[in-house]
């Protein structure tokens, strides 16, 4: 699938802020307060609608789900956020390394 910037649905755009806070919390089985705490911890910074409401992307929901998993296992929120940031950085570095190996 190719990602297209145009189009009303943005089905292929993992970063499109498609989900309201209420819907995101419902999908994750958590509370809006938990999502706000992830914003305060700077793990995810949701975009804002014209009315100022938080909107979350699928990518942000994956990070939030991982945070909830770690917190549910007893990891402190701040530590969970740090773990997720490091996991994300490692995944990106591996992706870049794979691309370079394919080019070389």
């Amino acid at each position: 699938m190719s990602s297209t910037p145009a189009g009303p649905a943005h089905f292929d755009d993992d970063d499109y802020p498609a989900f309201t806070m209420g819907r995101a919390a419902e999908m994750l089985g958590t509370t809006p307060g938990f999502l706000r705490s992830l914003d305060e911890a700077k793990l995810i910074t949701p975009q804002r609608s014209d009315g100022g409401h938080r909107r979350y992307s699928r990518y942000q929901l994956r990070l939030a789900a991982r945070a909830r998993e770690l917190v549910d296992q007893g990891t402190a929120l701040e530590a969970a956020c740090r773990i997720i940031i490091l996991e994300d950085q490692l995944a990106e570095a591996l992706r870049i390394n794979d691309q370079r190996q394919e080019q070389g």
Side-chain angles (χ1 to χ4, degrees), residues 15-86:
D15 295 316
Y16 181 73
F19 305 98
T20 63
M21 177 180 277
R23 181 68 180 126
E26 179 183 311
M27 290 169 67
L28 295 169
T30 190
T31 63
F34 180 75
L35 291 172
R36 280 191 293 275
S37 71
L38 297 179
D39 188 5
E40 291 166 10
K42 306 219 184 312
L43 177 63
I44 54 176
T45 303
Q47 291 189 27
R48 298 284 182 148
S49 68
D50 291 339
H53 300 282
R54 290 175 174 90
R55 304 284 297 189
Y56 296 88
S57 68
R58 289 184 299 193
Y59 171 73
Q60 290 172 325
L61 293 185
R62 282 196 302 274
L63 295 180
R66 179 72 175 127
R68 179 166 187 243
E69 177 185 327
L70 289 170
V71 168
D72 286 352
Q73 293 172 358
T75 305
L77 181 66
E78 296 78 18
C81 291
R82 186 68 184 135
I83 289 167
I84 294 163
I85 289 167
L86 291 170

